[in-house]
Every structure is written in C-alpha cells, then in structure tokens.
Amino acid sequence: MTDALQVELVAADRVVWSGGATMVIARTVDGDVGILRGHAPVLSALTEAVVEITPEEGTEVIATVDGGFLSVANDRVSILSEHVLLAHEIDLSQAEVELEEARRLLGTNNDAEKRIRRAEARIRAVEKAS
C-alpha cells in the first residue's frame, strides 16, 4: 500500500475518479475541509461546490458536486454525489447562462439559491482548471 490517500469520487451513475492522492479539498455544509494522510474520521454533508484532488501523479483533478457526502476514515476518502462533473466536462457558456437565469429567479423560486451555488461552482471549476 502506498503512503497516499485512497480517493473515490463517485456520481450516482459512474465512478468519476479513483486513485491515490496526497490531498483533497471539499466544501461541506460547515465550511471547507482539507484532507491529508492521518486525518481524523469525518462524515459530512457536502454543498454545491468545487472538489480538488491532488493525485500522486498527474495533474490536479477539479470537479463539481451537487451536494452529497464526504467520508474519511483510515486514509480512505469517499466523495459521493448524485451529480459530479469534471472541469473539462463543464460547458462554461451554459453555466454562465444558468447563473443569470437563477439570479433572475431569486425571491420567486425556492431552488434559486441552490441553482446559483451550482452554477458558480461550475464556473469556478473551469477557471481553476484553466
């Protein structure tokens, strides 16, 4: 076994990324959390945000999650979300349109704030990856 975290980034319909990593950064409902080897066990709800994974080898993995859960135990990190997009899978133009539409709905639609967080996370992911 390597000295890396064993990370799985999983959507409802696929394993998005799996492998060894030196660090994971995610946003829980309580705030941002950085995970390194030896981290205390954690089980937390995620919010719509960017997830950053620093793999042992290769380029940083940038993705967005639409909520979900983060589990950390014994140097294993599981990130589970119904929808996960890697930065290169995101259409920036579409995310910008979705952000504007959601902003127009503020105050009239209960999902507007969630839609804003989702669109902003997708835009940030593309920006971080470029």
Side-chain angles (χ1 to χ4, degrees), residues 91-104 115 119 123:
D91 181 334
L92 181 59
S93 301
Q94 180 181 351
E96 290 169 340
V97 167
E98 289 171 1
L99 179 59
E100 290 308 312
E101 288 175 358
R103 285 181 175 157
R104 281 195 295 273
R115 290 176 62 187
I123 292 167

Side-chain angles (χ1 to χ4, degrees), residues 15 30-31 35 44-45 48 83 85 90 94-95 126 128:
V15 174
D30 296 319
I35 309 293
S44 187
E48 297 81 8
H83 301 285
L85 290 174
I90 297 168
Q94 180 181 351
V126 171
K128 282 182 177 276

Side-chain angles (χ1 to χ4, degrees), residues 17-33:
W17 190 88
S18 180
T22 58
M23 181 172 61
V24 176
I25 299 172
R27 179 167 294 161
T28 70
V29 294
D30 296 319
D32 288 352
V33 62

Side-chain angles (χ1 to χ4, degrees), residues 5-7 15 23 40 56 73 78 109 127:
L5 296 166
Q6 295 306 306
V7 180
V15 174
M23 181 172 61
E56 287 183 288
S78 297
N109 184 310
E127 291 170 349

Side-chain angles (χ1 to χ4, degrees), residues 14-123:
R14 65 188 175 131
V15 174
V16 178
W17 190 88
S18 180
T22 58
M23 181 172 61
V24 176
I25 299 172
R27 179 167 294 161
T28 70
V29 294
D30 296 319
D32 288 352
V33 62
I35 309 293
L36 299 170
R37 275 188 51 74
H39 197 284
V42 171
L43 179 60
S44 187
L46 295 168
T47 188
E48 297 81 8
V50 175
V51 171
E52 301 173 53
I53 302 169
T54 305
E56 287 183 288
E57 297 176 10
T59 59
E60 186 174 41
V61 176
I62 306 289
T64 61
V65 294
D66 290 350
F69 294 94
L70 168 73
S71 171
V72 180
N74 300 319
D75 293 329
R76 296 188 63 82
V77 180
S78 297
I79 301 164
L80 312 169
S81 180
E82 187 171 349
H83 301 285
V84 179
L85 290 174
L86 294 169
H88 71 269
E89 297 172 329
I90 297 168
D91 181 334
L92 181 59
S93 301
Q94 180 181 351
E96 290 169 340
V97 167
E98 289 171 1
L99 179 59
E100 290 308 312
E101 288 175 358
R103 285 181 175 157
R104 281 195 295 273
L105 294 174
L106 264 179
T108 64
N109 184 310
N110 292 339
D111 287 337
E113 288 182 22
K114 183 177 182 175
R115 290 176 62 187
I116 288 171
R117 286 192 305 270
R118 182 183 314 136
E120 287 176 341
R122 290 177 179 178
I123 292 167

